[in-house]
Amino acid sequence: MTGTIKYFNSEDAAKVLGVNVSTIKRWTEGGALECIKTAGGHRKFLMSHLASFVEKNRKKNSKVNLFTLESEQDIEISYRILKGDYKYLVEYILEHSLNCNREKVQQVLNGLYLGQYPLHFIYDVIITPVLHQIGHLWIENKLSIIQEHFASQTIRDCITRLQGIIKMPQQVDVRALCFAPSNEMHDIPLKMVDHILETRGFAVYNTGQNTPVEKIGDIFDTIAPNRLYISSTNRININELQSEINKLYEIAREIHCDVYVGGRSFDEIDYSHPAVKKRLFTFEEVYKY
Ligand code: B12
C-alpha cells in the first residue's frame, strides 16, 4: 500500500502536517524533523520521516488539517486526499469496505470532506465508482453475496456517519420527499440524494427501501412536498413498477409538486409526464437542480 510514494517535498510535507513550509524548514534545521538533502539543496522526506516526527511530537502536530496522524498509512491517505488521487482512494475504500473496516472507510470520507471536497463530488467520484466496482466483482463471481452485503452495508453506514459532520445551512422553505418504490432494496443512492438535499437547506422526508405506494396520498396531504425524488434501480417487474410510479406522478401533479427521477430503472420506465421536471444522473445534478 505504501510502495508507490518514494519522497515528499517540503510543500507536500507541509500540507500533510498542516503547517507552513517555513515551519517545515525550521523543524528540519532544528533537527526535529529528519529529511534527505538533495545535491541541489532541496529537502526530501520519506514517509517514515513524517511518521516518526508525528510519533515523537504529538503536541506540535496538533494543527493537522484532516485527521489525527498516527501511522504511516494515515500520512499516506492524507497525502492522497490532498493530491486528489481518487483512483487510489476508490481502491482503498473498496478493500476496506469488503473487510467491514468502517474506521478506515470513515477516515477517508471524513478526510475528503474536511479537505474541502463537496459532498456531491465525494458521492460521484468516490462512492459511486466503489459501488460499481462491487457490482463488477460480483458479476465476475469474484465476490460472494455475503461480501457484497458486507461492503454495501459498510458504505451505507459510513455515508450516514459522514452526514453527521456536514455543516448544514439555514433551512429554506422546500420540503422534499424521497421515495423508493415497492421491492426496491437499493437505498444507498436515495440516501445520498437525501443528504445532498439537506445540504441545500431542504426539509427532507425519506421513505427508505421498499415503500408501497397505496397510502402515499396521506403523506402528500400531511407534508405537502414541493419536490418528489423517486429512486429506482431494481426493474424486476417493470409493468407493476410503471403503474406505481404513474400513481406517484399523478398525485404529485395534483398538488403542483415537482418530480425528479433517478436510477437505472428509468432507462425503461417512462418519465415523460408533466409533473416530471428532470431525470438526474449525478449527485452534482441533485445539488444543482
Ligand atoms: C449494493 C447493491 C445491492 C445491495 C443494496 C444495498 C442497499 N441498501 O442499497 C443489495 C445486496 C441489497 C442488492 C440486492 C439486489 N441487487 Co443489487 N446492486 C448493488 C450494487 C453493487 C450497487 C448499487 C448502488 O448503490 N450503486 C450506486 C449508484 C449511486 O449508482 P447507479 O445505480 O449507477 O446510479 C447512478 C444514477 O442513476 C444516479 N442515481 C441512482 N439512483 C438515483 C436516485 C435519484 C433520486 C437520483 C436523483 C439519482 C440516482 O446516481 C448514480 C450516479 O451515476 C449494484 C451494482 C451497480 N453497478 O450499481 C447492484 C445492482 C444494482 N443489483 C442488481 C441486482 C440484480 C440485485 C438483486 C436482484 C440481486 C438478487 N438476485 O437478489 C437484488 C434486488 C433487491 C431488490 N429487490 O431491490 C443489478 C441490477 C440489474 C438490473 N437489471 O436492474 C446490479 C446492477 C448488479 C448487476 N450488475 O447485476 N444490491
Side-chain angles (χ1 to χ4, degrees):
M1 181 98 6
T2 52
T4 45
I5 293 183
K6 293 275 187 287
Y7 297 109
F8 294 86
N9 61 27
S10 295
E11 283 75 26
D12 295 335
K15 277 187 192 157
V16 169
L17 296 178
V19 295
N20 296 325
V21 175
S22 56
T23 309
I24 293 290
K25 286 195 180 133
R26 187 160 45 80
W27 284 347
T28 53
E29 273 155 25
L33 174 61
E34 262 187 87
C35 71
I36 299 164
K37 280 231 172 131
T38 64
H42 296 291
R43 293 170 180 81
K44 296 256 177 217
F45 301 87
L46 288 169
M47 185 91 69
S48 57
H49 293 147
L50 302 190
S52 73
F53 175 83
V54 166
E55 181 69 23
K56 284 190 226 134
N57 299 277
R58 287 194 197 281
K59 280 212 189 89
K60 275 193 189 164
N61 185 35
S62 59
K63 221 186 118 221
V64 271
N65 42 0
L66 298 183
F67 40 74
T68 322
L69 300 171
E70 283 178 350
S71 66
E72 278 197 19
Q73 201 174 52
D74 293 343
I75 291 172
E76 171 102 35
I77 289 300
S78 178
Y79 176 81
R80 300 284 184 165
I81 289 173
L82 292 162
K83 286 275 168 187
D85 189 349
Y86 311 129
K87 196 167 165 278
Y88 178 93
L89 297 173
V90 166
E91 287 299 320
Y92 183 89
I93 292 185
L94 177 65
E95 180 190 330
H96 291 295
S97 63
L98 287 168
N99 291 326
C100 284
N101 194 331
R102 291 192 183 86
E103 203 188 322
K104 295 241 181 277
V105 174
Q106 197 72 56
Q107 182 185 39
V108 179
L109 297 187
N110 291 5
L112 282 163
Y113 180 72
L114 298 172
Q116 312 296 316
Y117 290 93
L119 193 58
H120 58 78
F121 184 91
I122 299 173
Y123 289 164
D124 278 327
V125 178
I126 307 289
I127 298 294
T128 300
V130 172
L131 288 161
H132 286 173
Q133 280 270 77
I134 294 169
H136 291 313
L137 291 173
W138 189 54
I139 285 268
E140 289 171 8
N141 264 329
K142 290 184 180 151
L143 288 187
S144 70
I145 187 78
I146 303 291
Q147 283 176 304
E148 192 215 354
H149 279 239
F150 273 170
S152 51
Q153 277 306 322
T154 303
I155 289 168
R156 193 170 178 275
D157 286 348
C158 291
I159 63 171
T160 303
R161 290 185 195 174
L162 171 66
Q163 190 64 1
I165 67 161
I166 303 285
K167 252 180 90 194
M168 292 299 166
Q170 259 204 314
Q171 283 237 332
V172 295
D173 190 21
V174 177
R175 290 170 305 285
L177 177 62
C178 293
F179 190 91
S182 295
N183 299 319
E184 184 57 77
M185 301 306 283
H186 302 92
D187 68 344
I188 298 175
L190 192 65
K191 253 182 185 301
M192 296 195 280
V193 168
D194 164 345
H195 292 168
I196 288 172
L197 298 177
E198 272 199 306
T199 68
R200 295 178 66 180
F202 296 1
V204 182
Y205 302 82
N206 187 340
T207 68
Q209 297 162 319
N210 187 19
T211 315
V213 83
E214 290 99 58
K215 296 276 178 196
I216 201 71
D218 301 348
I219 293 298
F220 270 75
D221 291 342
T222 340
I223 302 171
N226 322 73
R227 287 169 175 245
L228 167 66
Y229 290 82
I230 308 173
S231 175
S232 180
T233 300
N234 179 26
R235 41 193 163 166
I236 283 170
N237 191 335
I238 212 78
N239 292 334
E240 254 177 46
L241 185 59
Q242 182 76 64
S243 91
E244 265 202 1
I245 288 180
N246 286 345
K247 277 186 203 150
L248 285 169
Y249 294 158
E250 273 310 302
I251 298 171
R253 192 173 58 97
E254 277 165 26
I255 67 155
H256 307 288
C257 167
D258 293 339
V259 180
Y260 295 85
V261 299
R264 58 184 71 209
S265 297
F266 291 96
D267 292 347
E268 287 168 57
I269 295 286
D270 182 39
Y271 54 95
S272 61
H273 185 279
V276 180
K277 282 281 162 220
K278 213 168 171 36
R279 177 178 177 185
L280 303 172
F281 292 90
T282 64
F283 297 103
E284 186 177 13
E285 288 179 334
V286 176
Y287 183 72
K288 258 171 84 185
Y289 296 107

